[in-house]
Amino acid sequence: MIVIIGEALVDLVLDGDGNVAARPGGGPFNTARTLARLGATAVFAGRLSGDGFGRMLRDRLDADGVRLGLPSASGSPTTLAVAGWGGAGGAPYHFYLHKTAAADADSPSLRESLAAAPAPGHPGRNPPGAGPSRAVRPGLVAVAAHA
């Protein structure tokens, strides 16, 4: 089992005509899905919201066979990243992180959920002290390492 710790979010992508497309994302979320598709037993240890976007993220994880390390839904909204089109062809991102589901992960819930000893986990792509789940990541890593 590989435990992937971090956030799931929704990328709201604005095209040049002002249309918006909602796409599931987040480095840890994508890592868990990819590992499961490759046949690994993947556990996503990030809290998902109970809102519509959270249900979309949960459905994608379920479809790929990813186990939820924190299965209960958060009452907080899903973390959002809004990507627009820059004048030079780049895509500037703006993140909406404050009081979102990514910060609702907790060590006791993960400890209760993990029944088998995991292989080394992937702590997300953000370095310690960065990213939406930065405040809760150290405790989750400790739980995953000793489960």
Side-chain angles (χ1 to χ4, degrees), residues 8 15 21 24 42 45-47 71 73 83-85 90 95 103 105 109-110 116 122-123 125 127 131 133 146:
D15 68 16
R47 183 75 72 194
W85 292 103
F95 291 91
S109 295
L110 180 60
H122 181 284
R125 97 187 149 120
S133 58
H146 294 97

Side-chain angles (χ1 to χ4, degrees), residues 17-130:
D17 295 326
N19 299 311
V20 179
R23 298 193 174 113
F29 173 83
N30 290 331
T31 299
R33 293 180 68 204
T34 300
L35 287 168
R37 288 178 186 168
L38 291 171
T41 300
V43 177
F44 178 72
R47 183 75 72 194
L48 299 176
S49 175
D51 64 16
F53 286 143
R55 288 188 298 275
M56 176 182 71
L57 294 167
R58 182 181 301 269
D59 289 346
R60 296 290 173 94
L61 291 170
D62 287 343
D64 289 328
V66 176
R67 180 176 159 203
L68 294 176
L70 299 167
S72 64
S74 169
S76 299
T78 297
T79 302
L80 300 175
V82 178
W85 292 103
Y93 273 84
H94 300 282
F95 291 91
Y96 295 87
L97 312 170
H98 187 66
K99 295 186 179 181
T100 63
D104 284 348
D106 63 282
S107 301
S109 295
L110 180 60
R111 185 176 294 111
E112 290 174 19
S113 176
L114 294 177
H122 181 284
R125 97 187 149 120
N126 295 311

